[in-house]
Amino acid sequence: MSGERPYTLVAELTYRCPLSCVYCSNPIDLERHRDELDTESWVRIIGEAETLGIVQLNLTGGEPLARSDLETITRAARRHQMYTNLITSGVPLTRERLEVLKESGIDAVQLSLQDTTPALAQRIAGIDRFGAKLDVARWIAELELPLTVNVVLHRENLDRVGEFIAWSERLGAERVELANTQYLGWALANRDRLLPARAQLDRARKIADEARERLRGKMEVLFVLPDYYSDRPKACMDGWARRFVVVSPDGLALPCHAAHTIPGLEFPSLREQSLHRAWHEADAFRRFRGEDWMPEPCRSCDRRSIDFGGCRCQAYHLAGDAALTDPACVLSPHHDIIEKARATVAETPGSFRYRTLRVLR
């Protein structure tokens, strides 16, 4: 039995989405994941999550609004006294449905912005829904729901960090999260077009730092550095299978969003077993939990209980082995992969590869 206790359930309700964002963290092979869990299964999983000690639920996707049973799932979370975040593009949403979702148990909303004008947003998301997002933000404020504005940063929009912060102020956000792209999934496929140069990143960070001081006590400004420009990796999901559990649309229990892309790991299906059993007994969850699995230089590093060796998915997709030190770490024998990617940042390296499976049914 694992001594680790999760506190957040990330429920990926669907991979369907009206947007085609070029940095999407959903799997490249989206067509393989159309068989979604039904309402009854999600309600059961939420009940099992409470018995594990989980207190927070993130409803995400794809676009969770694509689920016609979202309100039923939200009511289940309220019955189990979970703090529930809706992580959404805001499309498609009406004020009436947002009112129902609030009554059903939504406690906060995280709304994504792709860019600061309709044309720029369309270049990233594949369609223009900029005006609709502003309407949604207004409704969130009118209904007095806490609002976080989520922005994925990359070369195409880093120069507009100041504008993103200004938009967040105007929208009445409590928090703006300026998170540089994590290069997995569709973002890795588009890395040559998305990865910024250090000078551009430094300018954006300076603007965010100044805004953080100016807005202290009024709006939280969070700027998340990209792994490719950090000397040490982040503790991905606060460490493998330590505090977060992700459930994919087709029912796999996962330590993180992209874990099922690592070959050789068999993740349990919650169609066949309980969340409790998956968390405590599944070999895939135990594989990289804690420190015993770590190679050098992680094993003797004084940060091993801080960053837990970094991202297992990044280790696999960049260096070919999930059991290696994350190449983002300057101490990794494979750090040259990161250095080469930074050194080859180009101005106009080609066209985007847009994510698929857009249709909402």
Side-chain angles (χ1 to χ4, degrees), residues 148-220:
T148 293
V149 172
N150 289 340
V151 181
V152 177
L153 295 175
H154 43 79
R155 187 196 313 165
E156 296 281 315
N157 65 9
L158 257 173
D159 293 335
R160 290 180 289 283
V161 159
E163 295 175 46
F164 281 118
I165 295 170
W167 267 115
S168 300
E169 289 183 79
R170 288 195 289 271
L171 296 174
E174 293 188 358
R175 184 171 185 260
V176 55
E177 181 173 324
L178 303 162
N180 278 273
T181 302
Q182 174 78 357
Y183 291 100
L184 295 169
W186 297 89
L188 184 57
N190 287 301
R191 185 181 65 184
D192 289 346
R193 179 75 181 267
L194 295 174
L195 185 65
R198 183 180 292 276
Q200 185 188 24
L201 178 67
D202 289 345
R203 289 193 301 270
R205 186 181 186 182
K206 183 175 185 294
I207 292 169
D209 288 345
E210 291 171 351
R212 183 182 302 112
E213 292 303 315
R214 175 175 61 83
L215 295 168
R216 191 176 298 278
K218 298 178 181 178
M219 183 178 76
E220 183 181 2

Side-chain angles (χ1 to χ4, degrees), residues 18 63 65-66 88-94 97 129 136 139 360:
E63 176 48 66
L65 294 170
T88 178
S89 69
V91 184
L93 184 61
T94 63
R97 190 178 189 194
R129 290 294 184 270
V136 170
W139 301 333
L360 299 184

Side-chain angles (χ1 to χ4, degrees), residues 95-106:
R95 194 184 192 283
E96 291 72 24
R97 190 178 189 194
L98 185 60
E99 289 176 356
V100 173
L101 285 168
K102 180 183 177 181
E103 292 302 315
S104 300
I106 292 296

Side-chain angles (χ1 to χ4, degrees), residues 13-27:
L13 299 180
T14 180
Y15 287 142
R16 290 174 286 143
C17 185
L19 309 185
S20 298
C21 297
V22 296
Y23 50 70
C24 183
S25 63
N26 288 170

Side-chain angles (χ1 to χ4, degrees), residues 44-101:
R44 170 180 59 81
I45 289 166
I46 289 170
E48 293 171 353
E50 184 190 22
T51 67
L52 270 177
I54 287 173
V55 296
Q56 179 166 299
L57 174 65
N58 291 340
L59 299 173
T60 183
E63 176 48 66
L65 294 170
R67 295 279 306 217
S68 61
D69 58 356
L70 181 58
E71 291 81 356
T72 302
I73 293 169
T74 303
R75 290 189 189 100
R78 171 167 282 181
R79 288 197 300 273
H80 293 285
Q81 301 180 9
M82 291 185 186
Y83 186 89
T84 303
N85 293 308
L86 176 63
I87 302 173
T88 178
S89 69
V91 184
L93 184 61
T94 63
R95 194 184 192 283
E96 291 72 24
R97 190 178 189 194
L98 185 60
E99 289 176 356
V100 173
L101 285 168

